[in-house]
Amino acid sequence: AERPRATMAMAWRGAPRAAARLLLGRRRIASCLDPSTGLTEDQKEFQKVALDFAAKEMAPYMAEWDEKEIFPVETMRKAAQLGFGGIYVKPDIGGSGLSRLDTSIIFEALSTGCASTTAYMSIHNMCVWMIDTFGNKEQRRRFCPSLCSMEKFASYCLTEPGSGSDAASLLTSAQRKGDTYVLNGSKAFISGGGDTDVYVVMCRTGGPGPKGISCLVLEKGMPGLSFGKKEKKVRGLVFASCVL
């Protein structure tokens, strides 16, 4: 259901104003700046709710999640109940309809509780936004509601073993066969890979360079989609490879 910004702000007015100070004290971080300086009243409400959630639902479990490589599904679904599953996605399919600035304020606050979980949530939000913005009506209705609620989770599949950060040189290809595409290639360092349900895949349908790249949406369980071992990177960030 559509939730206007004003209504959301009113629903969040009960968040403790001391959440930022409390969390900074727990983490032994000193700051002379009020994190709400320069924000609108709505943005202050979003920030306070995110800080409170980070302090209560994320920070106490962050070390365990990192150590045991846990993908905190239930915690993120709780965050989605606050509107954090599709923050800048349109409200007609379950999004919160906020701005990118609002989103950055929320993610900054959530990262005080667990930076790696927040990093994944930012990627999930980007995937939902891509489907919402560039998908047709059927695709929006099929994917976005369950992603906004985080009933399902999404991964962004761009990086490849041979291209790294040079995205324009990716080699994963998609050839159209009637009403379907045949996808061939592999991806690396996919946040949430193997634990997620929907994969937004960058692939080459045209010539070399960025203009030849298209985007396909895959679902877990599709024939030919498989996953490699998890890659341990910086502590707290766990990735996986996938073969298409």
Side-chain angles (χ1 to χ4, degrees):
E2 183 171 350
R3 294 180 293 173
R5 287 181 50 150
T7 304
M8 291 181 65
M10 289 298 294
W12 290 355
R13 291 194 184 280
R17 295 183 179 277
R21 191 182 308 112
L22 174 64
L23 185 58
L24 291 174
R26 286 181 180 173
R27 300 293 295 278
R28 295 184 180 144
I29 300 172
S31 175
C32 60
L33 298 176
D34 181 348
S36 64
T37 299
L39 304 184
T40 66
E41 289 304 310
D42 279 359
Q43 289 168 345
K44 289 178 183 179
E45 298 298 336
F46 305 151
Q47 183 187 62
K48 284 183 291 186
V49 167
L51 284 168
D52 185 49
F53 184 87
K56 294 180 179 178
E57 301 288 347
M58 299 173 80
Y61 313 104
M62 174 188 64
E64 180 185 5
W65 293 343
D66 285 353
E67 190 67 30
K68 297 180 180 179
E69 300 181 359
I70 295 172
F71 190 66
V73 168
E74 294 307 318
T75 299
M76 289 190 286
R77 284 175 177 163
K78 288 181 182 179
Q81 292 175 7
L82 298 173
F84 297 159
I87 302 175
Y88 49 103
V89 173
K90 297 182 185 69
D92 67 302
I93 38 83
S96 297
L98 302 183
S99 70
R100 292 299 184 98
L101 176 57
D102 298 333
T103 304
S104 67
I105 292 166
I106 290 169
F107 284 147
E108 182 181 53
L110 289 176
S111 68
T112 61
C114 182
S116 56
T117 301
T118 304
Y120 168 74
M121 290 177 64
S122 72
I123 293 168
H124 172 90
N125 270 262
M126 177 177 63
C127 292
V128 189
W129 170 81
M130 290 176 68
I131 298 172
D132 176 34
T133 303
F134 300 105
N136 58 33
K137 290 182 179 180
E138 179 185 353
Q139 292 165 335
R140 291 179 72 239
R141 291 170 181 167
R142 177 179 175 182
F143 293 108
C144 290
S146 60
L147 292 174
C148 287
S149 68
M150 285 191 161
E151 174 188 346
K152 293 185 177 180
F153 296 89
S155 289
Y156 181 78
C157 305
L158 173 63
T159 304
E160 295 184 1
S163 59
S165 59
D166 183 10
S169 67
L170 65 82
L171 297 176
T172 295
S173 65
Q175 293 185 333
R176 188 159 188 171
K177 302 287 185 179
D179 293 332
T180 63
Y181 280 93
V182 177
L183 201 60
N184 285 289
S186 61
K187 299 291 180 178
F189 308 138
I190 305 305
S191 298
D195 290 315
T196 50
D197 309 283
V198 175
Y199 298 88
V200 177
V201 181
M202 305 299 117
C203 54
R204 190 165 300 284
T205 55
K211 292 185 178 181
I213 298 174
S214 299
C215 177
L216 298 182
V217 179
L218 277 65
E219 294 180 88
K220 195 171 187 176
M222 281 186 165
L225 176 61
S226 62
F227 303 92
K229 67 180 181 66
K230 289 184 178 181
E231 300 286 349
K232 286 198 173 186
K233 302 296 289 181
V234 176
R235 187 170 182 266
L237 295 177
V238 179
F239 305 86
S241 303
C242 62
V243 180
L244 310 168

